[in-house]
């Protein structure tokens, strides 16, 4: 069950002078490559999914696989939404299993960035989920993200950063000090003095986007100045693409499986190189003992109804199944009827929360209040309601320890 609280994970990195890799994955090959690299070098890792890549895979379909990979791992992992574009994306990421979200309104003027980020922080913190904000602008004019990020680099200042963090309450800050997303023309020049000032002003884990193309020395300097999370994608993508080209050259008649052969191996090799360079390799055991495990809660209600027939009960359940899953932090809603005729309680609700914080925020959420007060409570006076912390979810395949 090595899904762990991402805030604990990044504070451990920040306090101990290393950085955790947040590797954007775009397929199961990437997922397996990244997780096997982490297993091999005993590193904590962040499985990152960028909203800008959602055209290339179905986020809703890939998330169960990402969560299963994290749950069966033996090294600590977190699942993160990278470059979330809206409140809706942040809510659906949390409800699908992300335990960290980024809200990226860095292209907006600062007051708008603050307003948008505050709203996401309020929602996510009520679900126990930490938030990464971005201030300043990290463009992607040359890499795969180019279309989404036109424009010039806007560097983060220490004064703006302090104000932004105070006003928004973000847990981690992505800063702009000279990196860009994707490939760069020429050698990147970083403003390390600026990074140092930001770190002294904030004292929270800092994040670097656009990790591809930086030198070993640059990474060491970034980490020495408070960078605890490094976002990395293009180099993995290039390694995978190169492998496909080699597979084509080796045998022009290759079918699909022949073309994608060994992608996991090359993605794993590059991810492992980064984990060793950034100092996360070998940290798994101490991170596991330091971090709160990420554990869901089952909100269970068993009840009887008075004064309504079966059809009305089903109508109420259907309304609950429609409305309640959209509440932030709700992972799933199940309704049921007893199979035994003599059951003491005829009906059940089982609502899965991502985190204990959701017990309160769900209860107070306006959609829950309306549903409960108008439809459910008036007819279900006889009921038992208990929240169970799920200690160590066992899923099929959880004994797997990587390739
Ligand atoms: P690179 O593609 O430059 O490694 O950057 C990835 C990134 O910052 C994703 O958020």
């Amino acid at each position: 069950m090595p899904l762990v609280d991402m805030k604990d994970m990044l504070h451990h990195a920040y306090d101990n002078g290393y950085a955790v890799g947040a590797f954007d994955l775009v397929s199961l090959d990437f997922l397996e490559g990244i997780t096997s690299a982490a297993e091999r070098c005993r590193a904590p890792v962040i499985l990152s999914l960028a909203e800008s890549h959602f055209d290339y895979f179905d986020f809703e379909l890939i998330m169960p696989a990402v969560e299963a990979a994290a749950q069966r791992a033996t090294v600590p992992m977190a699942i993160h939404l990278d470059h979330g574009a809206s409140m809706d994306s942040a809510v659906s990421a949390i409800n699908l299993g992300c335990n960290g979200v980024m809200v990226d309104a860095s292209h907006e003027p600062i007051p708008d960035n603050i307003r948008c980020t505050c709203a996401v922080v309020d929602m996510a913190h009520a679900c126990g989920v930490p938030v990464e904000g971005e201030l300043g602008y990290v463009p992607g004019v040359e890499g795969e993200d180019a279309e989404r990020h036109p424009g010039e680099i806007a560097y983060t200042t220490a004064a703006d950063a302090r104000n932004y963090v105070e006003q928004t309450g973000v847990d981690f800050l992505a800063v702009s000090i000279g990196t860009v997303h994707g490939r760069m023309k020429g050698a990147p020049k970083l403003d390390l003095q600026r990074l140092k000032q930001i770190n002294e002003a904030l004292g929270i884990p800092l994040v670097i986007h656009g990790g591809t193309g930086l030198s070993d020395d640059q990474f060491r300097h970034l980490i020495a100045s408070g960078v605890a999370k490094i976002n990395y994608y293009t180099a993995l993508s290039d390694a995978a693409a190169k492998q496909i080209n080699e597979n084509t050259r080796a045998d022009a008649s290759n079918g699909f499986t022949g073309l994608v052969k060994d992608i996991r191996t090359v993605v794993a090799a590059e991810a492992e190189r980064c984990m060793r360079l950034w100092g996360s390799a070998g940290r798994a055991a101490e991170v596991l003992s330091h971090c709160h495990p990420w554990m869901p809660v089952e909100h269970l209600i068993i009840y009887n109804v008075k004064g309504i027939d079966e059809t009305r009960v089903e109508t109420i359940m259907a309304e609950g199944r429609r409305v309640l899953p959209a509440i932030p932090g709700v992972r799933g809603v199940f309704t049921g009827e007893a199979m035994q005729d003599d059951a003491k309680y005829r009906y059940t609700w089982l609502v899965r929360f991502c985190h204990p914080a959701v017990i309160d925020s769900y209860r107070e959420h306006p959609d829950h209040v309306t549903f409960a007060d108008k439809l459910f409570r008036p007819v279900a006076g006889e009921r038992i309601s208990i929240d169970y912390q799920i200690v160590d979810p066992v899923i099929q395949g959880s004994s797997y320890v990587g390739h």
Side-chain angles (χ1 to χ4, degrees):
M1 181 270 324
L3 250 182
V4 300
D5 185 299
M6 191 169 131
K7 189 170 174 180
D8 293 345
M9 179 195 265
L10 289 188
H11 274 275
H12 186 270
Y14 185 72
D15 293 344
N16 290 280
Y18 68 93
V20 179
F23 299 98
D24 282 332
L25 59 96
V26 288
S27 72
L28 288 183
D29 280 331
F30 277 61
L31 174 63
E32 290 181 56
I34 295 161
T35 52
S36 66
E39 293 281 359
R40 203 153 56 211
C41 63
R42 308 308 300 159
V45 72
I46 295 171
L47 305 173
S48 183
L49 297 108
E51 190 165 348
S52 57
H53 290 151
F54 289 2
D55 286 346
Y56 308 105
F57 57 84
D58 185 324
F59 184 44
E60 207 174 302
L61 286 183
I62 207 168
M63 276 303 290
V66 175
E67 198 173 16
Q71 278 168 337
R72 75 185 186 180
T74 65
V75 295
M77 298 197 176
I79 306 174
H80 186 65
L81 172 70
D82 189 22
H83 293 288
S86 65
M87 174 65 94
D88 285 351
S89 351
V91 172
S92 69
I94 290 171
N95 289 8
L96 288 169
C98 287
N99 66 342
V101 291
M102 178 190 189
V103 51
D104 182 2
S106 60
H107 47 287
E108 304 280 359
I110 290 180
D112 296 343
N113 184 354
I114 290 178
R115 202 168 318 114
C116 166
T117 305
C118 271
V120 172
V121 168
D122 283 350
M123 177 283 295
H125 283 183
C127 300
V129 172
V131 177
E132 172 185 336
E134 178 167 325
L135 187 66
Y137 188 62
V138 177
V141 282
E142 284 143 310
E144 296 204 358
D145 271 343
E147 320 81 63
R148 268 193 79 245
H149 289 269
E152 296 294 311
I153 300 181
Y155 287 94
T156 313
T157 70
D160 283 347
R162 189 190 291 117
N163 179 42
Y164 175 86
V165 170
E166 271 170 19
Q167 293 208 37
T168 59
V170 290
D171 304 277
F172 328 115
L173 184 68
V175 293
S176 170
I177 55 141
T179 58
V180 302
H181 294 98
R183 288 173 216 97
M184 304 185 83
K185 291 194 193 108
K189 276 182 76 178
L190 305 183
D191 189 341
L192 293 168
Q193 190 52 30
R194 179 183 293 271
L195 179 67
K196 218 162 155 248
Q197 286 163 357
I198 296 169
N199 187 35
E200 278 161 14
L202 301 186
I204 62 169
L206 301 178
V207 180
I208 280 294
H209 284 246
T212 299
L214 301 181
S215 70
D216 292 5
D217 233 34
Q218 283 176 318
F219 280 126
R220 285 190 203 99
H221 283 111
L222 291 171
I223 294 165
S225 291
V227 169
K229 172 175 180 275
I230 296 173
N231 283 26
Y232 204 75
Y233 168 67
T234 305
L236 301 185
S237 156
D238 286 352
K242 184 163 166 263
Q243 186 59 41
I244 292 172
N245 288 331
E246 276 170 21
N247 292 339
T248 314
R249 265 197 303 276
D251 183 353
S253 66
N254 259 327
F256 178 77
T257 50
L259 286 181
V260 297
K261 188 168 158 298
D262 294 333
I263 287 185
R264 288 176 289 190
T265 312
V266 295
V267 166
E270 178 59 10
E272 184 175 346
R273 186 187 74 80
C274 294
M275 291 167 188
R276 297 197 185 278
L277 177 61
W278 301 341
S280 59
R283 299 281 188 168
E286 47 183 307
V287 172
L288 273 177
S289 66
H290 165 87
C291 295
H292 289 94
W294 186 256
M295 292 188 299
V297 168
E298 300 280 345
H299 173 68
L300 175 73
I301 301 179
I302 50 176
Y303 65 102
N304 290 321
V305 295
K306 236 184 26 225
I308 56 171
D309 62 15
E310 288 277 324
T311 316
R312 180 68 189 146
V313 174
E314 176 44 34
T315 308
I316 293 171
M317 285 179 167
E319 179 61 4
R321 292 194 301 268
R322 189 182 72 80
V323 173
L324 303 176
I327 294 176
V330 171
R331 300 289 322 274
V333 175
F334 307 88
T335 56
E337 183 172 353
M339 300 191 73
Q340 290 78 16
D341 288 340
D342 59 351
K344 198 155 174 224
Y345 292 92
R346 189 88 241 117
Y347 303 105
T348 187
W349 285 99
L350 188 60
V351 185
R352 184 166 303 156
F353 299 150
C354 70
H355 185 274
V358 184
I359 295 170
D360 290 338
S361 57
Y362 171 84
R363 190 187 315 108
E364 290 154 17
H365 192 280
D367 292 346
H368 173 253
V369 172
T370 304
F371 172 76
D373 286 353
K374 291 226 163 82
L375 293 179
F376 182 65
R377 289 180 183 135
V379 296
E382 193 188 346
R383 64 181 185 271
I384 292 178
S385 171
I386 302 177
D387 297 299
Y388 291 94
Q389 174 105 75
I390 303 306
V391 177
D392 197 356
V394 174
I395 54 164
Q396 297 302 335
S398 60
S399 58
Y400 171 98
V401 288
H403 291 283

